[in-house]
Amino acid sequence: MIRKVQQRAQQVISGFKSPADDYLEGRLDISDMLVVDPHCTFYFKMDNSCMTGYGIPEGALLIVDKSLKATANSIVITSVQGELLCRALEYENEKPVLVCDTGKVQLDKESGFEVWGVVIAACYGVLPKELRRGRYSHVCTM
Amino acid sequence: MYVLCDCNNFYASAERLFKPALKGLPIVVLSNNDGCVIARSEEAKQAGIKMGDPAFMVHDLIKKFKIQVFSSNYVLYGDMSERVMHNLSRWFVTVIPYSIDEAFGWAGGINNLKEHAKAARLSIIQNTGIPVAIGIAPTKTLAKLANKLSKKNGGSLVLETDAEFAAALKDFPIEDLWGIGRQYYQKLSAMGIVTVGQLRELPELWFKQNMSVQGQRLWNELWGRPMSQLGELPPIAKGLSVTRSFSGYVMDPDVLCEAVTTYASRLAEKLRNEGMRCQYLEVFLLTNKHREDHPQHYPKHTHKLSIASNSTTEIVATANRIARMLFNRDMKYRKAGVIATGLIPESELQFHLFKAHDSGVDQVSAVIDKLNMAYGRGTLRMASEGYEKKWKLKHEYLSGGYTTRWKDLIKVK
């Protein structure tokens, strides 16, 4: 899907015309890899370390697509009793179960469980503290 | 066939989407400055809160029914609206937004319209989280009516045959019909006409004689003959304005100028967005007309610019000059506005005969626009806007820009 007009590298050269002129391409943009459908994509911040085992540490940026229907083994944003949680969705005896590192919760109708959206990717910075300075303090921190 | 899709209790639904704990609780959204109720959830309607109720008057009800109050968060509503409109356009061609929460569209080349409408509705709700209703019919008037009826009908309704129109119109109250204002409603109910079914049976001549050409159009549309096109865009604006109330009274000319600078900057930005320049700039001030014990003052002045402009620096400087001239130290001002009129397209600029003028390219404004586009509104602004903004609108109950600002992202456990 076309989302935006690519900004091609442009070189204004006063002397010789660049031989690369006819071969310029747009530079890679990370959102092409992380967002499939921007009109249905939302972002959340993980505020708990209970999904570390699933590759989602505390503080990670969660990319959530609302257009997907969750299947077993999806990681989802779900509302349980009015609270938004990030958990792995599994099924036991055809009943949904929310799983994280610290345990699992069986769900029944009374718990008011609803899938809000499916987490399609998680991003987090890996810079050590000494380098998290200046404009680099923004890397994946919200 | 015309499509009308609208969002159910849009503002309340947008707030609830990001706070699932509010499910089932009544929600109201207040106008700019937290003045009065402009949107309600279904539960708030049932609790007896009316549109336009001043916030202080419903205070008791709010406590009694544990109503959740929000300031209007147009940053969020604007983005959610765009999501709904975009998703709608995946199902119908030529989607034309009619307001922030409804859009007309064209349903052509679709075999099973009823199934298509159902699927479209479910998909929009799934993808955006905003509940919508869809009405489809051969005319805009009927589509609007189908949309209204659909809300008690599973959320989508398609009217294709005259038998279907007749059944839908039969008990539909005329006061809910698009195009019937209070005046016609009173006239018609005096004649004993209360349903659209009855209305439609009146002869065309009656509409012609009593309701002008609009009435005649209405009558034809009710019989399934389209009289208005999709995409009749509003005429190009003759003027643009930015007017706001202050949070309290402004009695200091410097504070007033901070506000006027802010409004004027926004106005200049709006002009540039539209590709227009203005020849006249008007500034007005207002005191609180509800306080009869206060002295009243409604000064305004229009200034003709020597060369039509849309430059932030020039418009701000002119507006500030006018504001200082209008200001009276003995008054308590409640509201101010800056209005641009005599708009001309940027390309048709006329220079001044006796004045030197640069090429007309306003580099300062261009840099302001570029920076604010890249780094967010207000990144580069006039220093005379001030920092404290004591006058700034109240929005005590504002929720976050969950979809537009990284720092406002919702934290999940």
Side-chain angles (χ1 to χ4, degrees), chain B residues 20 46 177 220 326 348 370:
Chain B
Q46 278 159 21
L177 184 67
N220 274 295
L326 297 176
E348 291 171 20
K370 241 186 184 166

Side-chain angles (χ1 to χ4, degrees), chain B residues 30 36 143 239 243 265 282 301 315-316 339 364-365 370:
Chain B
L30 302 178
C36 57
T243 67
S265 313
E282 178 184 317
H301 177 75
I315 288 184
V316 164
I339 305 171
V364 174
S365 299
K370 241 186 184 166

Side-chain angles (χ1 to χ4, degrees), chain B residues 343-378:
Chain B
L343 304 192
I344 54 165
E346 270 176 333
S347 54
E348 291 171 20
L349 178 64
Q350 279 203 348
F351 294 107
H352 197 275
L353 185 57
F354 300 110
K355 261 188 179 170
H357 191 267
D358 52 39
S359 61
V361 180
D362 173 16
Q363 295 188 356
V364 174
S365 299
V367 169
I368 294 177
D369 286 347
K370 241 186 184 166
L371 272 171
N372 289 343
M373 183 68 94
Y375 295 102
R377 183 166 281 165

Side-chain angles (χ1 to χ4, degrees), chain B residues 9-12 27-32 34-41 45 49-55 70-74 77 101:
Chain B
N9 311 319
F10 178 52
Y11 295 174
I27 298 174
V28 300
V29 179
L30 302 178
S31 61
N32 270 331
D34 294 346
C36 57
V37 175
I38 52 163
R40 306 160 296 164
S41 72
K45 289 175 189 172
I49 301 235
K50 302 255 169 353
M51 287 292 257
D53 277 354
F70 289 92
S71 303
S72 32
N73 182 351
Y74 289 113
Y77 310 153
D101 65 350

Side-chain angles (χ1 to χ4, degrees), chain A residues 37 39-45 47-48 61 66-69 82-87 114 116 142, chain B residues 17-18 20-21 23 80 83 86-87 90 125-129 402-403 406-407 409-413:
Chain A
D37 190 344
H39 301 283
C40 307
T41 300
F42 297 81
Y43 304 93
F44 290 87
K45 183 183 177 176
D47 201 32
N48 197 331
L61 168 67
K66 225 173 161 354
S67 68
L68 291 172
K69 294 207 168 89
E83 196 181 13
L84 287 170
L85 306 173
C86 172
R87 294 287 185 275
E114 246 172 70
W116 199 99
M142 286 73 65
Chain B
L17 178 60
F18 297 94
K23 202 175 172 189
M80 292 311 296
R83 288 168 185 260
H86 189 95
N87 270 284
R90 291 177 178 175
I125 296 174
Q126 159 104 32
N127 292 0
T128 64
Y402 309 125
T403 59
W406 292 116
K407 65 173 176 52
L409 287 195
I410 290 182
K411 293 174 179 163
V412 294
K413 285 284 175 192

Side-chain angles (χ1 to χ4, degrees), chain B residues 3-6 78 81-86 88-89 93-106 140 144 230-234:
Chain B
V3 182
L4 181 79
C5 173
D6 82 341
S81 166
E82 213 174 282
R83 288 168 185 260
V84 171
M85 301 299 178
H86 189 95
L88 181 66
S89 69
V93 290
T94 335
V95 165
I96 301 205
Y98 182 71
S99 66
I100 193 167
D101 65 350
E102 61 186 321
F104 281 104
W106 179 253
K140 280 168 116 176
K144 188 112 183 164
L230 205 59
E232 279 174 8
L233 292 176

Side-chain angles (χ1 to χ4, degrees), chain A residues 81-133:
Chain A
Q81 291 171 333
E83 196 181 13
L84 287 170
L85 306 173
C86 172
R87 294 287 185 275
L89 177 67
E90 287 175 14
Y91 285 87
E92 281 177 10
N93 308 320
E94 294 181 7
K95 280 194 178 141
V97 190
L98 293 179
V99 193
C100 67
D101 291 349
T102 52
K104 49 178 142 182
V105 186
Q106 283 272 356
L107 292 162
D108 42 44
K109 276 181 188 146
E110 288 86 69
S111 56
F113 146 82
E114 246 172 70
V115 173
W116 199 99
V118 176
V119 178
I120 65 169
C123 307
Y124 50 91
V126 291
L127 276 179
K129 226 181 213 161
E130 309 82 76
L131 292 177
R132 279 193 170 268
R133 268 188 277 146

Side-chain angles (χ1 to χ4, degrees), chain B residues 95-354:
Chain B
V95 165
I96 301 205
Y98 182 71
S99 66
I100 193 167
D101 65 350
E102 61 186 321
F104 281 104
W106 179 253
I110 295 161
N111 282 332
N112 189 338
L113 259 180
K114 289 189 171 74
E115 286 308 313
H116 190 86
K118 253 187 217 164
R121 175 174 170 270
L122 291 178
S123 154
I124 296 168
I125 296 174
Q126 159 104 32
N127 292 0
T128 64
I130 300 289
V132 297
I134 292 179
I136 300 180
T139 70
K140 280 168 116 176
T141 307
L142 286 171
K144 188 112 183 164
L145 188 144
N147 170 278
K148 232 176 200 164
L149 282 174
S150 77
K151 302 208 169 178
K152 287 170 191 146
N153 226 313
S156 64
L157 182 65
V158 181
L159 304 175
E160 283 175 287
T161 62
D162 193 64
E164 283 172 330
F165 312 155
L169 299 176
K170 198 169 154 276
D171 299 316
F172 197 87
I174 52 167
E175 66 262 41
D176 289 344
L177 184 67
W178 194 37
I180 295 288
R182 187 187 297 175
Q183 242 189 337
Y184 288 127
Y185 168 65
Q186 282 170 351
K187 191 170 187 170
L188 288 162
S189 44
M191 291 165 59
I193 291 175
V194 288
T195 72
V196 179
Q198 293 172 301
L199 180 70
R200 192 170 83 144
E201 291 306 326
L202 290 175
E204 185 176 9
L205 192 67
W206 185 90
F207 284 87
K208 214 171 179 174
Q209 286 168 346
N210 291 281
M211 285 181 71
S212 78
V213 67
Q214 285 301 331
Q216 211 178 340
R217 280 179 157 201
L218 180 72
W219 182 79
N220 274 295
E221 290 231 327
L222 288 177
W223 283 100
R225 291 185 284 271
M227 289 287 131
S228 60
Q229 309 278 307
L230 205 59
E232 279 174 8
L233 292 176
I236 296 170
K238 289 199 180 104
L240 283 172
S241 67
V242 177
T243 67
R244 307 264 152 84
S245 304
F246 309 130
S247 54
Y249 292 111
V250 168
M251 288 170 285
D252 176 341
D254 297 329
V255 175
L256 175 72
C257 281
E258 286 184 10
V260 167
T261 300
T262 309
Y263 304 168
S265 313
R266 174 73 191 121
L267 183 69
E269 190 187 318
K270 266 176 147 178
L271 281 166
R272 293 195 294 274
N273 270 342
E274 301 268 327
M276 298 298 225
R277 286 164 179 266
C278 72
Q279 304 178 71
Y280 300 93
L281 197 65
E282 178 184 317
V283 176
F284 71 81
L285 312 177
L286 285 182
T287 46
N288 186 354
K289 63 175 181 231
H290 299 297
R291 290 293 300 267
E292 284 167 12
D293 52 324
H294 288 181
Q296 299 292 318
H297 194 212
Y298 309 127
K300 62 172 183 183
H301 177 75
T302 308
H303 177 79
K304 184 176 188 314
L305 298 163
S306 58
I307 296 168
S309 175
N310 59 11
S311 127
T312 298
T313 44
E314 194 172 348
I315 288 184
V316 164
T318 311
N320 270 328
R321 246 186 356 257
I322 304 174
R324 281 193 191 273
M325 186 183 86
L326 297 176
F327 184 81
N328 179 330
R329 267 183 197 280
D330 303 326
M331 300 294 162
K332 296 175 172 178
Y333 294 102
R334 196 63 221 264
K335 187 177 185 176
V338 186
I339 305 171
T341 51
L343 304 192
I344 54 165
E346 270 176 333
S347 54
E348 291 171 20
L349 178 64
Q350 279 203 348
F351 294 107
H352 197 275
L353 185 57
F354 300 110

